[in-house]
Amino acid sequence: MTDRPSYIGRFAPSPTGPLHLGSLVAAMASYLDARAHHGQWLLRIEDVDGDRNVAGAEQHIIASLQRCGMHWDGEITRQTERTALYELALRQLGDLVYPCGCSRREIADSQTSLRGKQAQNLIYPGTCRNGLAAGKSARALRLKVPTEPHCIIAFDDRWAGHLSQDLTDEVGDFIIRRADGYWAYQLAVVVDDGAQGITDIVRGADLLDSTPRQLYLQQVLGLPQPRYLHVPVVCNAHGDKLSKQTGATAFDQGVPAEQLLQHALLPAARFLGLDLRAASIDEFWQVAIPAWAALIRL
């Protein structure tokens, strides 16, 4: 194994409900990667979206991680305690930020004038880029993406390989503070990762599409670029990603540790490609960490 003492990873769940099996897979992968690198593993609660937070969810998440033997380094951080950092980043972005008065319906209606890749996605056409139209009031704040030349972001993912995205053509100017006043995920996560010195981000492949926007934000804010590893997401029988919206249930129902091992930890490890045998949770981690190191060829 390669010893990288400077490694700092994190698990950053949103308190929208208890962790399900898909969440456990992401948590396990990030924990294993940090421990295999002899690094730190931080826990950050991404509670910036107040309307989606569920009472008691944070406590359930913390308890589930502890019951699984996943112990974080340092204090737990919460996005709701970091507003000053987001405000500072907003000021640093300066003229790249502009107010937008468009609704989702208006953006959807504008798609008829777009061509190519822009017509395939809900791409913002830049309506408010040069100022709000008469009678319009600001709703969200957007970040300008270069148009000439196109802003093409490429990176090497440790699981998925080399990837690139044309932000100009496939994303457009994107929101960094929403119409409801909440900070957008893209800005908050980049600022948090930079402030905490995160060197390695291990998370689900459902966030692959967000990575080029985050890399662009890192560039314009002068932040270092972490390494990325996106693991496959767990899906239900219908092929939908496990989530609260698709009816995913908590993996931790308060059962004894032996059942938690057999019905949660071992299945999550198998999903990641680790065929392990263990009689206890402590033994599970003893065999899982070197198995992960071998899987990703440290």
Side-chain angles (χ1 to χ4, degrees), residues 229-263:
L229 190 158
H230 290 81
V231 296
V233 297
V234 182
C235 297
N236 61 21
H238 303 290
D240 301 316
K241 175 202 162 191
L242 284 188
S243 68
K244 183 180 177 183
Q245 289 71 31
T246 58
T249 57
F251 77 81
D252 180 10
Q253 304 281 354
V255 299
E258 170 62 22
Q259 289 179 253
L260 193 63
L261 172 66
Q262 295 298 326
H263 300 296

Side-chain angles (χ1 to χ4, degrees), residues 86-263:
Y86 309 144
E87 293 282 2
L88 181 62
L90 182 63
R91 292 194 296 272
Q92 187 176 344
L93 290 169
D95 292 341
L96 289 176
V97 177
Y98 64 91
C100 174
C102 299
S103 66
R104 287 185 62 85
R105 172 62 64 85
E106 289 170 330
I107 296 171
D109 289 345
S110 72
Q111 303 303 290
T112 56
S113 65
L114 299 179
R115 298 290 182 269
K117 291 182 180 179
Q118 288 191 333
Q120 300 169 20
N121 303 298
L122 196 62
I123 306 300
Y124 183 67
T127 308
C128 302
R129 200 175 220 254
N130 297 313
L132 294 169
K136 282 279 188 182
S137 58
R139 293 166 53 85
L141 293 179
R142 290 185 181 271
L143 182 69
K144 291 180 181 177
V145 172
T147 56
E148 294 295 338
H150 278 209
C151 181
I152 298 174
I153 302 292
F155 67 103
D156 292 308
D157 188 81
R158 294 170 54 209
W159 190 289
H162 186 75
L163 300 166
S164 68
Q165 185 180 70
D166 185 336
L167 281 186
T168 307
D169 215 24
E170 300 177 55
V171 176
D173 299 344
F174 57 91
I175 289 175
I176 57 172
R177 193 167 71 191
R178 298 170 6 188
D180 56 16
Y182 292 128
W183 295 99
Y185 166 74
Q186 309 297 353
L187 179 75
V189 72
V190 165
V191 172
D192 289 338
D193 288 336
Q196 293 185 286
I198 301 299
T199 64
D200 288 77
I201 295 172
V202 178
R203 59 189 183 184
D206 54 314
L207 291 169
L208 262 173
D209 187 61
S210 290
T211 305
R213 275 170 282 178
Q214 292 166 22
L215 290 169
Y216 174 61
L217 267 167
Q218 289 159 11
Q219 290 176 13
V220 295
L221 287 171
L223 296 172
Q225 177 184 323
R227 295 196 307 170
Y228 288 89
L229 190 158
H230 290 81
V231 296
V233 297
V234 182
C235 297
N236 61 21
H238 303 290
D240 301 316
K241 175 202 162 191
L242 284 188
S243 68
K244 183 180 177 183
Q245 289 71 31
T246 58
T249 57
F251 77 81
D252 180 10
Q253 304 281 354
V255 299
E258 170 62 22
Q259 289 179 253
L260 193 63
L261 172 66
Q262 295 298 326
H263 300 296

Side-chain angles (χ1 to χ4, degrees), residues 9 31 34-35 39-43 71-76 196:
Y31 184 79
R35 296 304 181 229
Q40 298 180 55
W41 187 68
L42 310 183
L43 178 59
H71 306 294
W72 52 90
D73 299 294
E75 298 294 323
I76 299 172
Q196 293 185 286

